[in-house]
Amino acid sequence: MDPMSFILFGATGDLAKRKIYPALFNLYMDNKLPEAFSVIGVGRESLNKKEFQSTVIDSLYEFSRHSTDDKAKKLAFVQKLSYVNVDVTDEESFNELKAFVEGQEEGAGLGNNRIFYLSVSPALFDVITTNINKSGLGDTSGWKRVIIEKPFGHDLKSARALNSTVLRAFSEDEIYRIDHYLGKPMVQNLETLISANPVLQSIWSNQLIANVQITANETVGVGTRSSYYEHSGAIRDMVQNHMLQLVMMTAVRMSERQSVSELRDEKIKLMNAIEPTSPEDVIRAQYTRLTIQDETIVSGYTDESGVRSDSTTDTFVAARLQINTPTWQGVPFFIRTGKRLRSKETKIVVEFKDSLNLSQNASDAAPNLLVIHINPNDGVTLQLNSKHPLTGELEPIKVEFSASHRETPEAYEFLLADAIKGDPTFFTHWDEVELAWQWIQPILEQFDSNTIPLHYYQAGTNGPEEADKLLESYGYKWW
Ligand code: BG6
């Protein structure tokens, strides 16, 4: 692996503490970082090196998968960390940052390879990338890459504007747009699961699949993020990115992948083939408070701090998608995601068609289901029909694999390791982002015009009944 400098904007932020430092440390402990590297935290707070290192150590204690007991190793990692106080709106600050990065590179023999991680509000992408460009920080004799967090735009227009801004400093193949769902172990495993198992590969099409249901339910509410969420809602926060990525990762049919770009190319083709969705096929809803005997147990969305009392922001979205390719023609893909639901669960359920020649108990047969569990535990379940030994009746049985006993790396570990290696497979290409916004845009407009009405569901339930009715109208139910 090439030596590199990892320059992290937003170094004192929440994401850095919860995800980025622990991921870097875990990679370090697993010998998955280059021999020579340096992490340069960039932030507004004025911190000295020691203070910065101790905030990172705190985050490792709290969030790292690897224990921090090995003092020598922990110290060796922490010594790679330094901090520069930068006002990102000030060009002069970037000259100082550049001088600092060059000093580190010379001192530690780091070559001239630089990763810039923008863990900051998207409102700052413009000024940061412009100043990276102007200061010459982006002129390297080695490689440079930029990692960008979502949200990538607020709608189609702003996403395009943002993209052209970032393209002024980095080319498309230097841009690594993070969708952390693509780093989840079971999502990374999907392609292998389908293509390395002839038994699944041969049935992965509309010949045998009746429908696909993708669920990403959360129990948490909007928490302290209302100022962001009020402008985003579930449609931008989850559907535009994570849910559509799960649809594409499920629908992609790859046998032996030849090059890193192939998976993304396939996903782009699929995204292109998703038909515009009619308003009847989209359900939007918002959670209301849960009260027991007049006592509020869980706040409703409009009770949350920072949320307007007449807010119509969606905290739940369900939809039917149709992918217009020979493989998927006629197979509805149902998605649903929401906050303050009964349980935290992310899964993909593939429901198979009824058998053609079921014998006597045909009407009692449950459908075959393949469930890919993504969260809270990784695993796969296959539901089959079996004969009960005593009654002779059909009964559904489950063949299960659970990876919960294994220690699996976090999404950010996979993604950072890939970015450091220069493998963009599990990052979103601009074409995917743009197509996703193109698909979402009419829905956003139908939300605004109330063509898609806002429904309500009580906190702690499975969501609005309209989401159940959506499936019923196609002759299915949510699994
Ligand atoms: C984030 C969203 O991208 O994903 C959050 O901004 C959401 O609102 C989170 O809670 C869900 O991620 P996970 O990994 O917990 O399913």
Side-chain angles (χ1 to χ4, degrees), residues 306-324:
V307 174
R308 286 169 45 145
S309 58
D310 59 352
S311 170
T312 55
T313 300
D314 46 297
T315 61
F316 177 99
V317 172
R320 181 193 77 108
L321 284 77
Q322 182 61 58
I323 304 176
N324 196 1

Side-chain angles (χ1 to χ4, degrees), residues 150 180-181 184 218 225 228 237-238 242 339 344:
K150 73 176 246 285
H180 79 280
Y181 270 52
K184 291 185 184 275
E218 298 187 83
R225 298 165 73 219
Y228 152 75
D237 187 46
M238 294 291 292
H242 308 324
K339 296 211 180 283
K344 166 85 182 164

Side-chain angles (χ1 to χ4, degrees), residues 219-423:
T219 50
V220 292
V222 69
T224 53
R225 298 165 73 219
S226 57
S227 62
Y228 152 75
Y229 201 83
E230 270 287 84
H231 299 288
S232 126
I235 188 83
R236 293 181 175 89
D237 187 46
M238 294 291 292
V239 179
Q240 190 274 341
N241 36 71
H242 308 324
M243 300 307 282
L244 288 177
Q245 285 296 334
L246 291 181
V247 169
M248 288 184 277
M249 289 299 293
T250 310
V252 84
R253 288 194 70 189
M254 307 269 310
S255 33
E256 276 173 61
R257 182 145 54 92
Q258 305 294 328
S259 78
V260 289
S261 64
E262 276 184 54
L263 177 72
R264 299 208 298 188
D265 291 349
E266 284 305 309
K267 279 163 55 196
I268 291 166
K269 279 189 212 148
L270 286 166
M271 196 60 229
N272 237 321
I274 299 184
E275 288 176 359
T277 294
S278 72
E280 302 75 56
D281 280 336
V282 183
I283 306 298
R284 71 166 168 142
Q286 188 185 79
Y287 62 85
T288 57
R289 73 180 73 129
L290 168 65
T291 50
I292 296 181
Q293 290 173 347
D294 290 342
E295 201 189 325
T296 299
I297 307 293
V298 184
S299 302
Y301 179 69
T302 52
D303 307 324
E304 306 274 12
S305 112
V307 174
R308 286 169 45 145
S309 58
D310 59 352
S311 170
T312 55
T313 300
D314 46 297
T315 61
F316 177 99
V317 172
R320 181 193 77 108
L321 284 77
Q322 182 61 58
I323 304 176
N324 196 1
T325 60
T327 307
W328 294 112
Q329 193 63 58
V331 180
F333 279 68
F334 298 105
I335 57 172
R336 64 174 163 170
T337 181
K339 296 211 180 283
R340 281 277 185 251
L341 294 166
R342 188 178 303 248
S343 55
K344 166 85 182 164
E345 189 172 38
T346 311
K347 64 181 179 187
I348 299 166
V349 180
V350 179
E351 177 173 341
F352 293 92
K353 291 184 175 170
D354 290 342
S355 166
L356 301 177
N357 57 352
L358 273 179
S359 53
Q360 73 278 40
N361 296 332
S363 58
D364 298 336
N368 287 155
L369 301 176
L370 178 75
V371 186
I372 295 153
H373 305 273
I374 298 169
N375 203 315
N377 296 319
D378 302 352
V380 182
T381 308
L382 179 63
Q383 177 174 287
L384 303 171
N385 285 301
S386 173
K387 187 168 78 171
H388 192 283
L390 295 178
T391 63
E393 305 271 306
L394 275 185
E395 63 170 358
I397 56 157
K398 285 183 178 156
V399 183
E400 285 189 298
F401 160 71
S402 165
S404 57
H405 59 284
R406 285 207 295 234
E407 192 181 70
T408 9
E410 269 260 339
Y412 273 82
E413 290 177 47
F414 286 116
L415 295 174
L416 288 188
D418 284 351
I420 291 166
K421 274 189 295 200
D423 180 351

